[in-house]
Amino acid sequence: MTGLDVAFAAAGTVAAASAVLSVTTRHVVHAALWLVVSLGAVAGCYLVLGAEFVALVQVLIYVGAVVVLVLFALMLTRAPIGPNEEVSASPLHRALAAVLAAGVTALLAAVLVPLARVVGAVRRGGPGTTGLGEQLFGTWVWPFEALSVLLLAALVAALAVAGMARGRGAGEP
Amino acid sequence: MIHLEGPFLLAAVLAGAGTYGVLARRNAVLVLIGVELVLNAATVLLVAVGSTGGDRWAAGWVLTLFVITIAAAEVCVALAVVLVLFRQRGDVDVTAEAMAGEGRR
């Protein structure tokens, strides 16, 4: 156990605990706020692993944009404030979901943890922000451009989906 | 130096929590939160393996940036779909029965 191991364990525990809380809480808005804590703690994990730029992008886009969009969606769909049993499925359904989720966790852990010794350990030996930028605009420049087209397509699609329904719903009560 | 057991366990727990969120929630926006957690499990794995130093084209970190971008695009379209659903049905319950006459449209 090194100091960095301890730092990662702290950030990782916060991330895992708040992730579990965000999918089990009965307050709809609290779920989105726990998601902020979880994603922020994951950004802290990236910092510990030496990926500063990725951590910053995670905070900017995930915590900044995605969670705000989720909160907007909750507000626009008139999410109930306060505890509400209706946000989760029936107890039987939830128990089955919990069994399946535990199975996913156990399976992934059983596959990945033995693999950890094969891959080795993190020695803060990542490419660094300079190397990341060089690779992103060198090796990966075409996928990067394709992603910008994807973002544009998503923007147009979102406008089309929302506008189409409004045009069709105009004649209805 | 960080042992990789920690990141790998964190990825497993995040994927499990996300799976539970997708399966056990009725509100469509909360299902989306589960999807985000599963995506984060994948990015934790990518960043951890990308930081080991055996990564020639910085693939782990670059692919993490790509996954974050795709998640933003996905959330944008999903929000539009959820809003249309709410406008037509008055709720966003993914377990509710189909509205009468919905199939005709």
Side-chain angles (χ1 to χ4, degrees), chain B residues 14-94:
Chain B
L14 283 179
T19 313
Y20 178 81
V22 170
L23 291 174
R25 291 299 207 182
R26 291 176 66 183
N27 188 320
V29 183
L30 297 183
V31 171
L32 210 60
I33 289 182
V35 175
E36 301 302 329
L37 288 175
V38 176
L39 284 172
N40 259 273
T43 56
V44 166
L45 269 185
L46 284 170
V47 170
V49 176
S51 303
T52 52
D55 189 359
R56 190 168 158 205
W57 294 295
W61 291 11
V62 172
L63 285 177
T64 305
L65 296 180
F66 288 179
V67 168
I68 292 176
T69 315
I70 291 170
E74 165 242 325
V75 139
C76 171
V77 176
L79 171 64
V81 171
V82 165
L83 284 184
V84 170
L85 189 71
F86 180 74
R87 211 178 285 142
Q88 295 204 340
R89 303 181 43 151
D91 61 29
V92 287
D93 189 343
V94 290

Side-chain angles (χ1 to χ4, degrees), chain A residues 1-2 4-5 8 12 15-16 19-26 28 31-32 35 38-39 42 45-46 48-51 53-54 57-58 61-62 66 69-70 72-74 76-79 86-89 93-94 97-98 100-101 104-105 108-109 112-113 115-117 119-129 131-132 135-136 139-140 143-144 147 150-151 154-155 157-158 161-162 165-166 168 172, chain B residues 1-88 90-95 99 105:
Chain A
M1 276 300 247
T2 60
L4 284 172
D5 261 335
F8 188 91
V20 170
L21 276 171
S22 82
V23 293
T24 52
T25 177
R26 277 178 287 161
V28 177
L35 185 68
S38 183
L39 298 178
V42 169
C45 292
Y46 295 167
V48 177
L49 287 169
F53 184 72
V54 181
V57 170
Q58 166 100 356
I61 296 186
Y62 253 122
V66 170
L69 271 181
V70 166
F72 258 105
L74 285 176
L76 289 174
T77 55
R78 298 200 198 113
E86 292 290 298
V87 296
S88 288
H93 196 140
R94 263 182 293 173
L100 206 60
V104 167
T105 305
L108 279 177
L112 289 174
V113 169
L115 206 62
R117 287 188 200 90
V119 179
V122 177
R123 293 169 201 282
R124 311 274 282 188
T129 305
L132 177 68
Q135 292 299 328
L136 184 60
T139 312
W140 298 92
F144 182 83
L147 267 185
L150 173 83
L151 273 180
L155 181 71
V161 168
R166 185 178 295 127
R168 202 166 44 187
E172 296 174 7
Chain B
M1 178 173 138
I2 304 173
H3 294 96
L4 278 175
E5 280 89 351
F8 285 5
L9 272 180
L10 175 63
V13 171
L14 283 179
T19 313
Y20 178 81
V22 170
L23 291 174
R25 291 299 207 182
R26 291 176 66 183
N27 188 320
V29 183
L30 297 183
V31 171
L32 210 60
I33 289 182
V35 175
E36 301 302 329
L37 288 175
V38 176
L39 284 172
N40 259 273
T43 56
V44 166
L45 269 185
L46 284 170
V47 170
V49 176
S51 303
T52 52
D55 189 359
R56 190 168 158 205
W57 294 295
W61 291 11
V62 172
L63 285 177
T64 305
L65 296 180
F66 288 179
V67 168
I68 292 176
T69 315
I70 291 170
E74 165 242 325
V75 139
C76 171
V77 176
L79 171 64
V81 171
V82 165
L83 284 184
V84 170
L85 189 71
F86 180 74
R87 211 178 285 142
Q88 295 204 340
D91 61 29
V92 287
D93 189 343
V94 290
T95 62
M99 208 164 64
R105 293 195 194 151

